[in-house]
Amino acid sequence: MEGVPALDEPLSKQSLGPATTKVLAEALDLHTVGDLLHHYPRRYAERGELTTLADLPLDEHVTVVAQVADARVLTFNGSKGRGQRLEVTITDGSGRLQLVFFGKGVHKPHHDLLPGTRAMFAGKVSLFNRRLQLAHPSYELLRGDSEAAVDTWAGALIPIYPATTKMESWKIAKAVHAVLPSAADAVDPLPPALREGRGLVELPEALELIHRPRTKADIAAARERLKWDEAFVLQVALARRRHADTQLPAVARRPAPDGILDAFDAKLPFTLTDGQTKVSKEIFDDLATEHPMHRLLQGEVGSGKTMVALRAMLAVVDSGGQAAMLAPTEVLAQQHHRSVIEMMGELAEGGMLGGSDRATKVVLLTGSMGAAARRQALLDLVTGEAGLVIGTHALIEDKVRFHDLGLVVVDEQHRFGVEQRDALRGKGKQPPHLLVMTATPIPRTVAMTVFGDLETSVLDQLPAGRSPIASHVVPAADKPHFLARAWERVREEVGNGHQAYVVCPRIGDEEDQKKKSKASPEDEAEKRPPLAVLDVAEKLRTGPLAGLRIAVLHGRMHPDDKDDVMRRFAAGELDVLVATTVIEVGVNVPNATAMVIMDADRFGVSQLHQLRGRVGRGSAPGLCLLVSEMPEASPARQRLNAVATTLDGFELSRIDLEQRREGDVLGQAQSGVRSSLRVLTVIDDEEVIAAAREEATALVLADPDLTAHPGLRTALDALLSEEREEYLDKG
């Protein structure tokens, strides 16, 4: 192993023992000294200030110094046979306290804690038989009455590590202790000027302080330094990606004067919002350059992203190229296809009788299409007859060929893996421009961290004519008459000529039933399965919505049946659509004004906001009712109250992220790296991330190959294995 840097040494070469090494690798994915040193404590237990026995607070961790008054072992009969219990009474002159130890844990304290012995004891104060006690406390015997020993032990910060059942925190601490000397050889990824300018400690010191802090100030200094490592190395990776993109060739796509885009704009029955105009300019400026656009278009539900994307696609058609829109579901692809053709009118009838001379063909390509329709669509793409194609994953298949692919629009980015996007981008003769859309508003910092290689455009203004949506929580268990009133409101909306959605968390067919666990009636009441589309639709047909035209929509229906239901609902032939979240994005029925979300607490905050955006899309106001049986004080109800009180998607996404684990934010499908965030939190550390992006951009501009920064290069290699580097390249 000569020449291997200290932190790259396999743990198997350390003196940890084969059993420990095996569990660290299998249970915690820790293989090298560096892996283990970067497995940071998640918190620190404080033995805390010394407390007198007279002032013990219930349910708190305390540390006391006292003398053993007496100790006795009691034998008792338990459910597993005879057992032993050691009771120790301690006193400090101000009061007395009982300590208890059970089972095999009695032997050592029985030997150590003899009457007259003085020691420090730390544990959580509990109540038993109306008396305060400490169960299984930690203790340290005090010999020679050393005050220094008391202060050191009581003030110690004990690291608590992310652990597993096979590897407890104290065993991890022991392993870390064994390899900690290697921290002295850690290669520092931060350039000295940056580190000194920001007043950060060096990496070896940060590793020492995070694992063996003497004070809270030590922890703060270590965390501040390690946050910079995570933010800066990730931002350098993204800055290099952005820089490499500027070096790639692409065909500049400029709309032709008096072409299809001008014709489309001339027939629009409304004026674009200021936001749409501004974002369109950003996109057109990017399309006119000779390197590929990489832009994230995020916007509030209903802010008109599809209109902005369509205008960009038409600009590319004007320049002689083709544009493809990738949608996550067939329902959404069909919906986009229908709405694009409606918006374009005769401009979508290229090559057809009555089509405009500036028209192009708009084709749909999905997995369930018939062979003849599919053959024709493929032919239209390869000949260039079709300027626009809208499709699902079917667009990615090998047999799909384009005449001249100039722009790829990815709708709902989070639903596609990076490889899928890359497969479509690879179909251009030169790298096509890329526009990624999401209707889930992302706080600025998350966008910078997760989509740092994309330029970002934000649409936060609703088009004129869009109506406000009133949202209310319906507490079905506390106030059943509120739910009855909800169904009356649906009938009123239908009576006024409008339509409604009822959304349920699951489908409720046989496949669902197999997954149900067998539970007792008591458990069933507590943890009943989420309400299902098929059950709810049946109850509504025969109950509160009897006489209305009700249909169901869910993901396991045949595509033709799904399309038929959506078409009938859009045409006003149905009053109520009982659906799963297949309607979450893209479905546009301006006449639908009411939505009832059953078991709303089973959905995430951003998902509820997305669903709610399906109503109020016309001139009539929208109504969204969030039905829940959760108690008023529960966190689930707090989430629902947050959704009901604000229509600001950016604010809601912050709430959502604060309640989720960091790994969800930086999952592999989004970032192209295994969640590398251990101390950095994208919501709380906005300033660090913004500053790191600035520093990274400047450094990469001056030294794209990082020749002057070998430590940084090493850290990048550790963050991005070859496979991950490729993953990020494709992002």
Side-chain angles (χ1 to χ4, degrees), residues 612-655:
R612 168 171 65 185
R614 300 305 105 210
V615 296
R617 300 179 77 84
S619 53
L623 173 69
C624 180
L625 301 174
L626 306 166
V627 180
S628 172
E629 293 185 359
M630 298 302 281
E632 193 167 356
S634 64
R637 274 286 287 280
Q638 304 300 315
R639 282 204 317 273
L640 296 183
N641 290 340
V643 174
T645 51
T646 179
L647 289 170
D648 182 343
F650 287 90
E651 179 55 35
L652 288 173
S653 67
R654 285 185 76 92
I655 294 168

Side-chain angles (χ1 to χ4, degrees), residues 667-703:
Q668 190 187 47
Q670 289 174 305
S671 69
V673 295
R674 187 176 87 200
S675 184
S676 56
L677 302 192
R678 294 179 176 86
V679 287
L680 190 75
T681 55
V682 291
I683 287 291
D684 298 335
D685 297 317
E686 295 194 31
E687 286 175 19
V688 174
I689 291 166
R693 180 182 171 102
E694 217 170 278
E695 295 269 15
T697 305
L699 184 139
V700 168
L701 203 60
D703 182 9

Side-chain angles (χ1 to χ4, degrees), residues 218-277:
D218 286 351
I219 299 169
R223 288 178 67 83
E224 184 65 16
R225 162 61 215 243
L226 296 167
K227 279 178 184 181
W228 259 91
D229 278 18
E230 291 180 4
F232 184 69
V233 175
L234 183 60
Q235 290 296 348
V236 166
L238 294 169
R240 293 184 80 212
R241 173 72 254 128
R242 287 195 303 276
H243 184 269
D245 284 340
T246 64
Q247 310 305 305
L248 284 174
V251 178
R253 307 285 180 173
R254 298 182 184 86
D258 204 27
I260 190 170
L261 177 60
D262 283 349
F264 176 76
D265 284 349
K267 68 193 290 296
L268 282 179
F270 53 81
T271 310
L272 295 177
T273 65
D274 292 346
Q276 286 175 317
T277 305

Side-chain angles (χ1 to χ4, degrees), residues 39-256:
H39 187 73
Y40 307 133
R42 58 186 171 84
R43 64 183 180 86
Y44 300 84
E46 292 181 70
R47 293 193 174 108
E49 297 296 318
L50 296 177
T51 313
T52 59
L53 296 186
D55 303 323
L56 290 180
L58 187 62
D59 282 339
E60 285 191 23
H61 286 276
V62 298
T63 300
V64 296
V65 174
Q67 189 167 315
V68 177
D70 66 70
R72 56 199 180 127
V73 174
L74 305 174
T75 304
F76 62 90
N77 291 317
S79 58
K80 296 181 180 176
R82 290 167 70 79
Q84 287 189 317
R85 168 189 173 100
L86 170 65
E87 291 184 355
V88 178
T89 305
I90 58 173
T91 177
D92 68 348
S94 74
R96 294 167 79 85
L97 178 68
Q98 184 170 283
L99 317 177
V100 289
F101 301 86
F102 296 97
K104 292 176 182 172
V106 307
H107 304 305
K108 189 173 188 308
H110 190 213
H111 175 266
D112 289 341
L113 302 176
L114 303 171
T117 304
R118 193 160 179 267
M120 276 185 293
F121 303 91
K124 188 176 182 181
V125 182
S126 58
L127 199 61
F128 181 72
N129 281 346
R130 300 187 187 177
R131 291 173 63 193
L132 294 180
Q133 69 170 27
L134 296 181
H136 284 281
S138 311
Y139 62 86
E140 180 92 340
L141 301 180
L142 296 174
R143 297 180 175 86
D145 201 22
S146 159
E147 285 305 318
V150 172
D151 290 344
T152 305
W153 195 82
L157 292 161
I158 306 154
I160 308 294
Y161 289 90
T164 73
T165 47
K166 293 181 178 177
M167 178 65 69
E168 299 95 333
S169 173
W170 66 267
K171 286 184 183 168
I172 296 170
K174 202 171 169 186
V176 169
H177 184 79
V179 302
L180 201 51
S182 300
D185 300 318
V187 178
D188 201 323
L190 294 190
L194 188 159
R195 193 181 65 241
E196 289 155 17
R198 303 244 168 214
L200 301 169
V201 300
E202 293 191 16
L203 182 57
E205 187 184 350
L207 291 171
E208 177 78 31
L209 294 179
I210 196 104
H211 291 295
R212 264 198 212 151
R214 294 173 299 285
T215 63
K216 287 184 179 175
D218 286 351
I219 299 169
R223 288 178 67 83
E224 184 65 16
R225 162 61 215 243
L226 296 167
K227 279 178 184 181
W228 259 91
D229 278 18
E230 291 180 4
F232 184 69
V233 175
L234 183 60
Q235 290 296 348
V236 166
L238 294 169
R240 293 184 80 212
R241 173 72 254 128
R242 287 195 303 276
H243 184 269
D245 284 340
T246 64
Q247 310 305 305
L248 284 174
V251 178
R253 307 285 180 173
R254 298 182 184 86

